[in-house]
Amino acid sequence: MAVTVDDLPLVSAGTSTREGRLDITRRLVKGLRTEGIPAVGFVVGARPNETDRDALLAIWLEAGLELGNHTGSHPSRHRVSAEEYEADVLRGEEALRPLLARHGKAL
């Protein structure tokens, strides 16, 4: 069994500050690691205004946790065509691959 966490790096956690987002991410990851819970974080790859995106996701990778693709912009599968959805999945991959490669990982 593994826990999955959707919509990384961080959608909303009651804070709008970089330090607040980093703190919440560190505490979540620490709890998972302390309890020995395997986890995969699914990343929405192309969210605008996420200046601390790579720093937040690096916390997961440096803790030995996995990241996966949760599309580029999180469209509703029921509101876009199959072709549009597939293109968005590929945008998510394009956004995530460089970060994973810098940490010696692949999708």
Side-chain angles (χ1 to χ4, degrees), residues 30-92:
K30 181 180 179 183
L32 292 167
R33 298 308 296 155
T34 297
E35 298 301 324
I37 299 169
V40 179
F42 287 97
V43 178
V44 177
R47 286 219 161 115
N49 302 321
E50 296 241 10
T51 56
D52 50 357
R53 173 187 174 274
D54 284 1
L56 292 166
L57 297 176
I59 293 168
W60 283 75
L61 295 171
E62 290 164 5
L65 298 172
E66 298 291 326
L67 294 177
N69 178 17
H70 195 39
T71 73
S73 65
H74 206 288
S76 169
R77 175 59 193 100
H78 303 288
R79 295 186 181 189
V80 298
S81 70
E83 293 79 16
E84 290 171 306
Y85 192 81
E86 183 177 314
D88 200 67
V89 169
L90 294 174
R91 274 194 298 280

Side-chain angles (χ1 to χ4, degrees), residues 3 8 13-14 18 20 23 33 35 39 41 56 73 89 94 97-98 106:
V3 169
L8 291 180
R18 173 184 167 86
D23 179 59
R33 298 308 296 155
E35 298 301 324
L56 292 166
S73 65
V89 169
E94 291 169 12
R97 277 186 203 282

